[in-house]
């Protein structure tokens, strides 16, 4: 039985766009009224909620839609009869978010330390995959420092996003397009979650499709994380990003619900409307109530949905995972297996005590 799907009613370029399932309506706001734009949109959302009261799934199930408001946006959470009856309140989809982390200052120090460790693996003449995100940005900066100090020569970087391309140029790392090289020697990237088997969730920055291509073809893919990113099970704290062709959004949402997910269209923070990737697609963040039990199986199932470009599960991609940890006042960089073993040892000690 399907659980939930999140849709929205929001303002786009002076108009109100409501999209839910296969139905989409645009309503112009009145230029003559003195009501504030937020009030106008709220009013029109209220007036038009009745247009879509149910979402039809491919299996014929009709899911009731419950509308919720957050600030100037109205969200609709479609819940199955079984899930809505199990609770007195309608379930609310939770947007992607990082797992509970460390103090911000400490976390920055850990990221810097693991970035410095990673670039020690680079040798002159290498073609380097440049990941996207805060830790990868620091690795690009550290790589640039080594080039500026003439400790590395003839380095070519293959960026995985506009951000990594700009940073590479800023720090003196020459960049090339992936189509201009026939191999990648080593790729550095971060991750939003990592389990003990080196399976990853990536895509918090909506660059996971390009990252997966570069990371997968690299002779060595090195993932750089701090200790807060290591989890016992993927998907419990961080939603799974899925890049979707815009015209296929509705059928993909239905398919994700049928897989047991709670999908939510990722919306932009400083603009109205959805996040659009560099490839021109939309991002859907999918929650699974019990986490992801079989990452390899789910990765394949989601990618088999017509209209899905790529999802943020990275299975059998990473060759190494460096974990930055804080031990008292000392920062240590260890490989994932060593970090997991230390956690198990500590847990066993706590249990016996």
């Amino acid at each position: 039985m399907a659980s939930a799907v999140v849709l929205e009613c929001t303002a786009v370029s002076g108009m109100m766009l409501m999209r839910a399932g296969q139905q989409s309506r645009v309503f112009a706001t009145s230029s003559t009224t003195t009501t504030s734009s937020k009030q106008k949109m709220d009013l029109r959302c209220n007036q038009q909620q009745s247009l879509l009261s149910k979402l039809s799934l491919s299996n014929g199930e009709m899911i009731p839609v419950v509308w919720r408001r957050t600030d100037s946006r109205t969200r609709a959470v479609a819940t199955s009869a079984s899930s809505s009856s199990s609770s007195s309140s309608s379930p609310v989809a939770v947007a992607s978010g990082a797992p509970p982390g460390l103090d911000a200052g400490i976390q920055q120090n850990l990221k810097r330390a693991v970035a410095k460790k990673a670039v020690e693996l680079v040798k002159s003449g290498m073609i380097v995959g440049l990941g996207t995100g805060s830790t990868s940005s620091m690795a690009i900066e550290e790589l640039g420092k080594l080039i500026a100090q003439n400790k590395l020569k003839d380095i070519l970087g293959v960026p995985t996003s506009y951000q990594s391309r700009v940073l590479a140029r800023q720090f003196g790392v020459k960049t090339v397009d992936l189509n201009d090289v026939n191999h990648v020697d080593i790729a550095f990237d971060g991750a939003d979650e990592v389990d003990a088997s080196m399976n990853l969730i990536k895509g918090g920055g909506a660059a996971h499709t390009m990252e997966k291509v570069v990371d997968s073809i690299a002779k060595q893919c090195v993932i750089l994380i701090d200790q807060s990113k290591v989890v016992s099970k993927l998907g419990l704290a961080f939603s799974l990003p899925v890049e979707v062709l815009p015209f296929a959004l509705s059928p993909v949402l239905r398919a994700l619900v049928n897989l047991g997910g709670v999908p939510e269209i990722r919306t932009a923070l400083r603009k109205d409307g959805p996040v659009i990737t560099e490839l021109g697609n939309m991002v859907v963040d999918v929650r699974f109530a019990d986490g992801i039990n079989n990452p390899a199986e789910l990765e394949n199932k989601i990618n088999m949905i017509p209209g899905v470009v790529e999802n943020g599960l990275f299975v059998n991609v990473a060759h190494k995972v460096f974990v930055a940890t804080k031990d008292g006042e000392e920062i240590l960089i260890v490989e994932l297996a060593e970090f997991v073993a230390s956690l198990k040892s500590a847990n066993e000690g706590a249990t016996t005590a």
Side-chain angles (χ1 to χ4, degrees):
M1 183 73 70
S3 54
V5 61
V6 177
L7 306 157
E8 68 177 19
C9 173
T10 187
V12 180
S13 301
M15 307 184 80
M16 195 282 286
L17 168 68
M18 184 175 71
R19 181 180 296 278
Q22 292 182 329
Q23 301 188 36
S24 181
R25 292 282 299 277
V26 176
F27 305 91
T29 58
S30 172
S31 60
T32 59
T33 180
T34 58
T35 312
S36 71
S37 58
K38 176 184 181 299
Q39 290 173 322
K40 288 186 224 174
M41 194 197 73
D42 288 347
L43 175 62
R44 291 184 180 277
C45 283
N46 286 331
Q47 291 172 339
Q48 304 302 333
Q49 283 173 15
S50 61
L51 287 179
L52 185 76
S53 60
K54 291 185 178 182
L55 176 67
S56 175
L57 299 184
S58 58
N59 63 3
E61 180 183 358
M62 296 298 291
I63 300 181
V65 173
V66 179
W67 292 86
R68 294 184 180 274
R69 186 185 318 285
T70 55
D71 297 325
S72 62
R73 181 176 292 113
T74 299
R75 287 181 176 174
V77 182
T79 62
S80 68
S82 61
S83 64
S84 59
S85 62
S86 63
S87 172
S88 59
S89 60
S90 301
V92 179
V94 181
S96 296
L102 305 162
D103 172 82
I106 294 175
Q107 192 169 38
Q108 288 297 104
N109 292 337
L110 293 177
K111 291 179 178 182
R112 178 67 64 181
V114 75
K116 289 181 178 180
K117 174 69 175 178
V119 296
E120 294 176 1
L121 300 175
V122 181
K123 308 298 181 186
S124 292
M126 278 188 168
I127 299 174
V128 183
L130 307 176
T132 299
S134 56
T135 309
S136 297
S137 297
M138 292 182 184
I140 294 171
E141 181 180 353
E142 295 300 327
L143 184 62
K145 289 178 181 179
L146 295 179
I147 294 173
Q149 295 166 3
N150 289 321
K151 294 181 180 180
L152 289 175
K153 297 181 179 180
D154 302 320
I155 298 295
L156 294 177
V158 179
T160 57
S161 66
Y162 179 78
Q163 178 200 47
S164 58
R165 184 181 300 276
V166 169
L167 286 172
R169 291 174 177 173
Q170 177 182 341
F171 295 116
V173 181
K174 184 178 179 181
T175 61
V176 293
D177 189 83
L178 180 60
N179 292 317
D180 296 328
V181 297
N182 56 20
H183 72 280
V184 175
D185 293 297
I186 189 169
F188 298 122
D189 218 337
D192 299 301
E193 286 188 344
V194 180
D195 69 12
S197 300
M198 292 199 297
N199 299 313
L200 323 172
I201 286 183
K202 291 179 51 58
H208 56 278
T209 297
M210 297 168 69
E211 289 173 313
K212 187 178 282 191
V213 172
V214 173
D215 292 351
S216 295
I217 68 172
K219 295 178 181 178
Q220 189 173 22
C221 174
V222 183
I223 301 300
L224 316 175
I225 59 173
D226 64 72
Q227 63 191 56
S228 71
K229 303 300 179 69
V230 180
V231 298
S232 59
K233 188 178 186 180
L234 295 178
L236 288 173
F238 199 90
S239 300
L240 175 63
V242 180
E243 185 165 353
V244 180
L245 296 174
F247 88 99
L249 182 61
S250 293
V252 169
L253 286 175
R254 290 193 292 271
L256 291 171
V257 170
N258 285 332
L259 287 178
V262 182
E264 179 173 357
I265 301 169
R266 189 182 298 183
T267 54
L269 294 177
R270 298 187 179 182
K271 64 176 282 292
D272 288 324
V275 168
I276 302 298
T277 71
E278 293 182 31
L279 300 175
N281 301 310
M282 299 176 72
V283 177
V284 175
D285 293 308
V286 189
R287 290 295 304 274
F288 293 90
D290 298 322
I292 297 172
N293 295 312
N294 189 326
E297 181 182 45
L298 185 62
E299 179 185 30
N300 183 63
K301 283 184 175 180
I302 292 177
N303 279 352
M304 289 298 291
I305 299 172
V308 167
V309 179
E310 187 57 79
N311 72 79
L313 279 168
F314 284 48
V315 178
N316 297 324
V317 173
H319 297 95
K320 287 181 182 290
V321 176
F322 285 156
V323 185
T325 69
K326 188 169 176 61
D327 184 9
E329 296 301 317
E330 185 180 7
I331 292 179
L332 303 176
I333 308 298
V334 298
E335 292 202 29
L336 179 64
E338 181 181 348
F339 180 73
V340 171
S342 68
L343 288 180
K344 289 182 178 179
S345 177
N347 290 336
E348 290 170 359
T351 302
T352 57

